[in-house]
Amino acid sequence: MVSQQIIQKSEAILEKYGSSLTGKTILITGVAPDSIAGELAVQLSAAKPALLILSARSEARVEPIVAKIKAKNSNTATRFLQMDLSSRADIQRAVDTLGDITKIDHLACVAGVMWPPFSRTTDGIESQFAVNYLANFQITQLFLPKLEAAGAGSSIIIVASSAVRSGKVDFEDFNFSEIKKPDSYTPSVGYSQSNAARVMFVKKLAQRLAGTKIRTYSVDPGAVRSGLQRHFTSETRGWIDSIRASGEKLKDLDGKEYNFPVWTSASEGAATIITGMVDPTISESNGAFLHHNAVADEELHSHLLNQDNWDRLWTLSENLLAQ
């Protein structure tokens, strides 16, 4: 099959399909000046949505994005949603503050952490699994009635990463219970696992939403320089640069070779999220993994495509939220 992938800027996607976002209510997590989510919010403001709900841990992170939005499209309404994705209780509290919002047309879960030192949340969950995956599972469940109220064409977009290609969920020890010392933890393993969970969650979610006409996709936005890389050491950056310069191929968990991702702009990273929201040409591929504005399930390895794993993850997630 010939790949349909093409790197495009958000402006190009909006020029083709942006009119379908006019008058819509859109919620975005992880908004900050140095994030893909912040760029996404600014780009979407050009489509004249009714309301952009911008979520972050603190309002100070959102204020510079609101200023950009107002400078670009002064009539765009925005609302700050304070939400700490490392706390199940705080996610519930945040969702409860939106009781006056009757519908949400598009939910874009963009927030995440990458390669932090080992820690567990106050709920006892390894931080990357909690913030990158379990929070998205909880948010989606809590906002689902509002998305259903929006009707056909509403969307749930879960941002993942090319790290899915090296990731799997360790169902026997997803929480790294054997970690006794922080320096015995490999952050990249936790990051890849959390992204694998994101992709498998969307696969199962699409099955469960069959017949609702709610769009749901996981997205690799590409390699975008952002605050996500704040935990990179100089050694990590040097290793990445050397791999890029050498042209060395990487291998996924099935041994399939792939290229190290090239750097793309924030606008190009946000574009594939917008594609998931509104591109009508992919509507028959609900639940797909998107990369460079196209369905890219061929990039997924067998662990991610195993439907038994989707079921196991869903059950695990429900059990964790019930604790």
Side-chain angles (χ1 to χ4, degrees):
M1 184 178 68
V2 178
S3 174
Q4 302 297 311
Q5 293 184 28
I6 180 171
I7 298 174
Q8 298 186 72
K9 291 184 177 295
S10 293
E11 292 87 343
I13 307 299
L14 289 169
E15 184 177 353
K16 287 190 286 187
Y17 307 123
S19 61
S20 63
L21 293 165
T22 301
K24 304 299 185 182
T25 296
I26 305 169
L27 193 154
I28 307 169
T29 69
V31 175
D34 58 350
S35 72
I36 296 173
E39 176 70 13
L40 176 66
V42 174
Q43 292 287 347
L44 291 177
S45 68
K48 300 180 181 178
L51 176 65
L52 290 174
I53 302 172
L54 309 178
S55 179
R57 293 190 306 274
S58 69
E59 193 164 9
R61 295 175 65 80
V62 171
E63 287 171 344
I65 297 301
V66 173
K68 284 187 176 182
I69 289 170
K70 295 300 183 182
K72 188 172 183 178
N73 300 283
S74 60
N75 294 326
T76 301
T78 64
R79 177 166 170 174
F80 170 62
L81 178 66
Q82 192 281 327
M83 185 160 58
D84 180 354
L85 299 184
S86 69
S87 166
R88 296 200 300 266
D90 197 65
I91 291 170
Q92 181 67 65
R93 176 206 58 76
V95 171
D96 289 345
T97 67
L98 296 182
D100 59 311
I101 302 295
T102 59
K103 69 181 181 69
I104 292 174
D105 297 280
H106 300 283
L107 172 63
C109 295
V110 190
V113 292
M114 183 178 188
W115 297 11
F118 180 73
S119 67
R120 289 195 174 93
T121 66
T122 55
D123 299 310
I125 308 299
E126 185 265 336
S127 63
Q128 294 187 95
F129 193 81
V131 172
N132 294 346
Y133 166 63
L134 193 60
N136 290 341
F137 184 90
Q138 182 183 6
I139 290 167
T140 299
Q141 303 307 311
L142 293 174
F143 282 129
L144 191 54
K146 296 183 189 295
L147 287 149
E148 291 173 332
S154 58
S155 74
I156 301 164
I157 309 299
I158 307 295
V159 173
S161 161
S162 62
V164 300
R165 303 183 83 159
S166 61
K168 65 178 181 178
V169 175
D170 182 351
F171 290 105
E172 304 306 317
D173 189 22
F174 75 92
N175 208 25
F176 297 88
S177 63
E178 297 302 315
I179 297 296
K180 305 302 181 185
K181 298 179 180 179
D183 60 4
S184 64
Y185 170 72
T186 305
S188 61
V189 174
Y191 184 66
S192 295
Q193 174 179 251
S194 66
N195 279 286
R198 285 163 155 170
V199 170
M200 292 193 291
F201 164 51
V202 168
K203 290 292 185 187
K204 186 62 182 179
L205 180 63
Q207 284 186 345
R208 295 174 71 97
L209 294 178
T212 66
K213 295 188 178 180
I214 295 175
R215 300 164 62 97
T216 182
Y217 298 98
S218 58
V219 169
D220 174 3
V224 177
R225 290 182 175 90
S226 70
L228 188 65
Q229 295 106 30
R230 62 185 175 277
H231 294 292
F232 280 13
T233 63
S234 57
E235 290 80 7
T236 299
R237 295 182 189 278
W239 172 77
I240 291 172
D241 289 343
S242 67
I243 293 291
R244 278 208 174 88
S246 71
E248 179 183 340
K249 297 277 189 180
L250 303 179
K251 290 185 178 180
D252 72 9
L253 294 188
D254 289 339
K256 184 168 56 179
E257 290 187 337
Y258 64 99
N259 293 318
F260 203 94
V262 298
W263 288 116
T264 53
S265 69
S267 174
E268 290 163 343
T272 306
I273 302 172
I274 302 170
T275 291
M277 288 178 173
V278 295
D279 185 344
T281 69
I282 62 169
S283 59
E284 297 302 313
S285 300
N286 214 28
F289 177 66
L290 305 182
H291 187 199
H292 294 330
N293 304 290
V295 172
D297 278 351
E298 72 278 3
E299 295 184 359
L300 304 180
H301 54 73
S302 54
H303 178 89
L304 303 173
L305 295 172
N306 185 322
Q307 296 194 33
D308 290 340
N309 288 339
W310 307 351
D311 294 335
R312 292 182 73 185
L313 179 64
W314 195 281
T315 299
L316 171 63
S317 305
E318 288 185 325
N319 290 340
L320 289 171
L321 292 183
Q323 291 177 1

